[in-house]
Amino acid sequence: MYENRFYSLDVTDKITYRLRSCNEAIKLELPHFHINGGDTGTPGQLEETARRELGEGFAALTWTGRYACGAQLSLEAKLCEDTPFVRFRYILSGPGGLRLTKPDGKESLTYFTYQSPAGAERTEVRLSDHDFRLHSYCLTELPAFQLEPDAMGPILAEQRDGYSMLTAYEHGSQYPDKFLAFIQNDGNISLRAVKGNTWQGQSITQTPYETIWLQIGAADGDIDDLARAYREFQLRFCSPNRESRKPYIFYNTWAFQERNKFYNKAAYLDSINYDRICQEIDAAHEMGVDVFVIDTGWYQKTGDWEVDLERFPDGLKEVRRRLDGYGMKLGLWFNPTVAAVSSKLVAEHRNAIAQQRGKEAKPFPIWETEESYPMCIVSDTWEAFANQLVRLYKELGVTYFKWDAVNMYGCESGSHLHGGPDTSAQESGDCYAFQIGRYMSKIVDRLCEECPEAIVDMDITECGRYFGLGFLSSGKFFAVNNGPYFQDLDIDPPDDVWINTFVHPGPARPRICRGVLGYDKWIPSVLMMTHYLPDDPESSQLINLATLILGQNGIWGDLPAVSPEGKALFHRVLTDYKQVRDDITAASPICLGHPGSTFEVYEKLSTNGRGVISLFSSVPGTYRYRLQNRPAGGPVCFGPASAVEENGELYIEADFSAPGAAIVFFGCSE
């Protein structure tokens, strides 16, 4: 039995989660597997076998029991006294000869089942709908089971009598490519495997089978109240890797690398050199950046991830010294799923080269560096890559790791950790796609054990990336690159034209990027980083600043080319932002309008009244917005806005002579 002020959790022949405020119980049946050709049924009663206090109110509990076939089931739960949500998973093991099987070649694993009252209002929360208007993933809330017989989720919320509850699973795939689904049947809801969760004949003796992590929780009130509580869980309690939740200001060199390529007809990597990087570091410091990220090109070879000594003869030592002098952190770009043809990694792990259609995948160029093989990280190479990241932390002080080009599908080998010698290419490929997120999290968690300061940010700016709750338990996401490409708009550009459309200063790019803020109801915007442009003129800078301080916190572009006045504006705004950024990060959003509408407002005030109001107008005019929360202290305004109090109500009045933005901070000194 575990109790905190929100709930009690008891595990016997069921998992009983009881919301203490109303004494309502949610009972989950334990999982059913298929072993050696038969359904396991439910195990006998589970008993608590381990309890560890992890500090700061966190605990890990384990319950263990057995199925009739002899297999052992362990339930591991991670809990915290300050949240109503629980993370849990199952580990299945057993004596010799026990193997997971699939009747008729189909998945038969049921993770849990619970009774759902007929009058419950059910909402499916999808995270991985790809919106080609934005070239970005978007959050979608749908009435569950009304449009489809199942619900992909990964979150299923129910509003019941006086409270709301959710169940969820930590995986990531793009709709409609379902690996798990919620099923409704005869008043029950089950979470079932769809594909890739296991492979036919998978031994649970040689290696215990670990499920993905699952979630359950409840809150008083409606689904909006539940979303606020879940948002706090994702921000403060879901991941032990706390640095990924902090609202640093990030700068990345990639946008200038692209500009240099398409505007100046140079190479992508021409600007990755000591002199240019030092210029960018100096400008970034002037503007208020916390984390400086060198994108692709800093390395000699993928896989080995050693500094290119032709570009940085001292091995980045002076870059690191310069950053340290400014109190800035160093970040670097990686692709975890490739290794150069001549790399040590390929020489030592050639068996981990990805396979497609029974053949070793062909090498291909990586951003003007040596051709690289696609590598399978659902293999023993995951540890080799993790060790490289730890080495770079220890040798160079790297604390930010940007991962790019990690696609769901990539390997069909039966000789790695996602299949066996008799596994078909189709099944092995599905299992790779299912397992890749778990292995990425293993890498991040291994890194963060050695380097608690580490942040891993995974790029999800293309279709087919691993995107869902799975990776959020370890890191964060890089959400938007440059908006839709020309082909997304049915435009076929010439070969030498930059295919990205939203790369210019002005209001258009921030409108596109604000589309990602739709996640902020459930997933804090600090976990969905997006980069904004610093370019002059001031009107564009204000629009970009007013958007990025809502939590996405990224900057890229040609920093040395920004005017002294522009750099000073960024410095002033970000200095004020840093006084209240923790409050903005904690605050659930209140929104008026939508990106690109005539008048658009985001109110991000924490419970103590500190935070920001960002206002946007697409046409000239005078607008008023009444604050929904009582702010703390007087306003600090940037742009054409002021605070007006009438009849005990506080309004923000903004007078726009052209499309633009205004920022109003509360709780910071000028």
Side-chain angles (χ1 to χ4, degrees):
M1 168 76 78
Y2 174 88
E3 291 184 300
N4 65 16
R5 70 179 188 272
F6 301 103
Y7 67 90
S8 65
L9 186 72
D10 193 21
V11 179
T12 53
D13 59 336
K14 289 183 172 62
I15 302 171
T16 302
Y17 176 103
R18 187 177 298 276
L19 187 62
R20 298 186 66 179
S21 61
C22 59
N23 202 34
E24 290 286 341
I26 304 160
K27 297 185 177 183
L28 304 185
E29 292 185 12
L30 295 170
H32 286 235
F33 295 89
H34 208 266
I35 293 179
N36 289 8
D39 190 304
T40 60
T42 56
Q45 184 164 307
L46 273 61
E47 296 181 354
E48 185 179 323
T49 53
R51 181 180 294 232
R52 289 185 299 135
E53 301 298 330
L54 305 178
E56 298 183 350
F58 288 85
L61 277 69
T62 302
W63 292 264
T64 304
R66 287 194 179 276
Y67 292 100
C69 66
Q72 176 177 288
L73 180 74
S74 293
L75 187 161
E76 295 184 350
K78 293 187 177 180
L79 316 102
C80 180
E81 63 187 21
D82 294 321
T83 180
F85 297 96
V86 178
R87 297 178 68 225
F88 65 99
R89 68 171 178 176
Y90 301 108
I91 298 177
L92 186 69
S93 59
L98 292 185
R99 296 180 178 275
L100 294 167
T101 50
K102 295 181 176 181
D104 301 321
K106 297 179 181 179
E107 294 278 11
S108 61
L109 168 55
T110 300
Y111 287 92
F112 56 72
T113 299
Y114 64 89
Q115 290 185 340
S116 178
E121 179 184 328
R122 302 176 190 90
T123 299
E124 175 190 1
V125 183
R126 278 191 210 148
L127 303 182
S128 59
D129 284 344
H130 196 84
D131 187 336
F132 286 86
R133 295 172 304 165
L134 310 179
H135 203 88
S136 170
Y137 292 100
C138 291
L139 182 143
T140 307
E141 292 180 321
L142 297 165
F145 310 117
Q146 291 189 19
L147 305 177
E148 295 181 278
D150 58 14
M152 177 174 162
I155 298 171
L156 181 65
E158 290 192 12
Q159 185 172 322
R160 299 183 172 185
D161 187 13
Y163 74 100
S164 297
M165 56 83 67
L166 69 73
T167 51
Y169 61 88
E170 297 185 7
H171 192 251
S173 60
Q174 182 179 327
Y175 180 81
D177 190 17
K178 300 172 184 175
F179 287 75
L180 299 91
F182 295 95
I183 309 293
Q184 184 182 37
N185 185 35
D186 292 334
N188 292 327
I189 291 177
S190 301
L191 178 64
R192 297 180 187 172
V194 175
K195 68 173 183 178
N197 291 227
T198 63
W199 66 83
Q200 176 71 23
Q202 182 173 354
S203 172
I204 62 170
T205 302
Q206 297 173 351
T207 303
Y209 177 72
E210 298 178 356
T211 72
I212 58 175
W213 287 91
L214 311 167
Q215 300 173 2
I216 185 172
D220 293 331
D222 61 17
I223 287 178
D224 288 344
D225 296 309
L226 180 71
R228 282 188 285 271
Y230 187 78
R231 185 186 184 281
E232 184 183 26
F233 165 71
Q234 280 291 344
L235 181 64
R236 299 180 56 200
F237 307 115
C238 182
S239 175
N241 306 328
R242 303 291 187 84
E243 287 293 299
S244 65
R245 271 58 181 164
K246 293 183 179 178
Y248 295 116
I249 298 294
F250 300 87
Y251 171 73
N252 183 293
T253 62
W254 176 246
F256 180 74
Q257 292 176 249
E258 279 194 307
R259 291 184 187 192
N260 210 27
K261 168 77 172 178
F262 290 100
Y263 292 170
N264 302 325
K265 306 304 178 184
Y268 284 115
L269 305 190
D270 280 357
S271 59
I272 302 300
N273 59 69
Y274 171 79
D275 290 337
R276 170 69 195 190
I277 294 300
C278 285
Q279 290 177 39
E280 293 189 44
I281 290 172
D282 291 345
H285 168 65
E286 283 186 65
M287 296 168 72
V289 168
D290 300 309
V291 182
F292 187 94
V293 185
I294 305 175
D295 210 272
T296 186
W298 62 270
Y299 50 89
Q300 293 180 40
K301 300 174 183 178
T302 63
D304 292 346
W305 303 113
E306 295 174 344
V307 178
D308 186 332
L309 297 180
E310 291 187 9
R311 298 181 182 281
F312 302 99
D314 67 350
L316 285 176
K317 290 184 175 63
E318 173 58 22
V319 166
R320 172 66 195 278
R321 186 198 67 77
R322 205 178 198 95
L323 290 170
D324 286 348
Y326 289 143
M328 296 165 66
K329 299 173 182 289
L330 173 61
L332 297 176
W333 177 96
F334 299 86
N335 181 337
T337 60
V338 295
V341 170
S342 65
S343 66
K344 298 173 189 173
L345 185 71
V346 166
E348 295 171 1
H349 298 273
R350 188 170 186 92
N351 65 324
I353 294 174
Q355 292 186 20
Q356 292 287 338
R357 300 174 184 84
K359 296 182 180 180
E360 188 178 88
K362 300 292 185 183
F364 63 99
I366 301 290
W367 296 119
E368 302 168 353
T369 66
E370 182 181 330
E371 287 195 341
S372 297
Y373 284 108
M375 302 295 289
C376 174
I377 62 169
V378 187
S379 70
D380 58 3
T381 59
W382 80 265
E383 291 184 280
F385 182 60
N387 290 338
Q388 295 283 32
L389 303 186
V390 172
R391 173 184 61 81
L392 287 164
Y393 160 68
K394 292 180 176 179
E395 291 180 0
L396 296 178
V398 182
T399 56
Y400 174 91
F401 302 82
K402 181 202 169 182
W403 291 5
D404 194 7
V406 181
N407 295 311
M408 284 281 294
Y409 293 92
C411 184
E412 297 174 348
S413 171
S415 62
H416 299 156
L417 301 177
H418 54 96
D422 299 323
T423 307
S424 70
Q426 177 69 50
E427 186 176 34
S428 179
D430 288 343
C431 289
Y432 172 88
F434 180 79
Q435 291 281 7
I436 188 171
R438 194 165 72 86
Y439 279 83
M440 287 192 293
S441 286
K442 285 164 72 77
I443 294 167
V444 179
D445 294 343
R446 162 87 170 83
L447 168 65
C448 290
E449 285 175 7
E450 297 276 345
C451 171
E453 299 174 72
I455 299 169
V456 178
D457 192 344
M458 188 166 68
D459 188 313
I460 54 166
T461 61
E462 304 293 342
C463 284
R465 300 284 168 93
Y466 182 89
F467 175 49
L469 295 179
F471 193 75
L472 283 181
S473 63
S474 299
K476 62 196 291 279
F477 290 123
F478 179 122
V480 175
N481 193 321
N482 288 313
Y485 302 150
F486 277 115
Q487 62 256 32
D488 295 324
L489 306 173
D490 297 327
I491 298 172
D492 186 16
D495 291 340
D496 61 345
V497 170
W498 197 352
I499 63 169
N500 295 321
T501 53
F502 289 91
V503 296
H504 306 290
R509 178 184 171 86
R511 286 178 192 143
I512 290 293
C513 294
R514 286 199 298 278
V516 181
L517 292 172
Y519 284 101
D520 201 23
K521 177 179 177 179
W522 292 88
I523 306 296
S525 55
V526 73
L527 298 177
M528 304 293 292
M529 184 169 68
T530 301
H531 288 75
Y532 291 89
L533 300 180
D535 305 84
D536 297 288
E538 181 179 312
S539 59
S540 177
Q541 291 164 339
L542 269 175
I543 295 169
N544 281 271
L545 279 163
T547 309
L548 77 88
I549 60 173
L550 295 172
Q552 295 166 302
N553 286 23
I555 301 171
W556 64 10
D558 187 353
L559 296 193
V562 176
S563 68
E565 295 79 13
K567 291 173 186 169
L569 175 63
F570 264 75
H571 179 80
R572 291 196 307 273
V573 172
L574 294 182
T575 296
D576 286 340
Y577 166 71
K578 289 176 183 180
Q579 296 182 58
V580 295
R581 61 181 169 184
D582 290 335
D583 303 280
I584 295 170
T585 303
S588 290
I590 296 174
C591 306
L592 173 70
H594 60 267
S597 60
T598 300
F599 186 48
E600 183 186 352
V601 182
Y602 297 82
E603 179 175 327
K604 294 271 286 182
L605 298 179
S606 66
T607 54
N608 61 17
R610 292 163 53 89
V612 72
I613 316 294
S614 285
L615 308 96
F616 305 89
S617 171
S618 293
V619 296
T622 300
Y623 302 90
R624 274 191 151 202
Y625 173 76
R626 180 171 62 84
L627 272 66
Q628 304 301 295
N629 295 300
R630 192 69 188 177
V636 176
C637 302
F638 293 88
S642 59
V644 178
E645 187 161 3
E646 290 183 3
N647 301 320
E649 302 277 7
L650 191 63
Y651 295 82
I652 304 298
E653 187 171 287
D655 186 10
F656 291 101
S657 59
I663 302 167
V664 183
F665 290 113
F666 289 95
C668 62
S669 57
E670 293 193 47

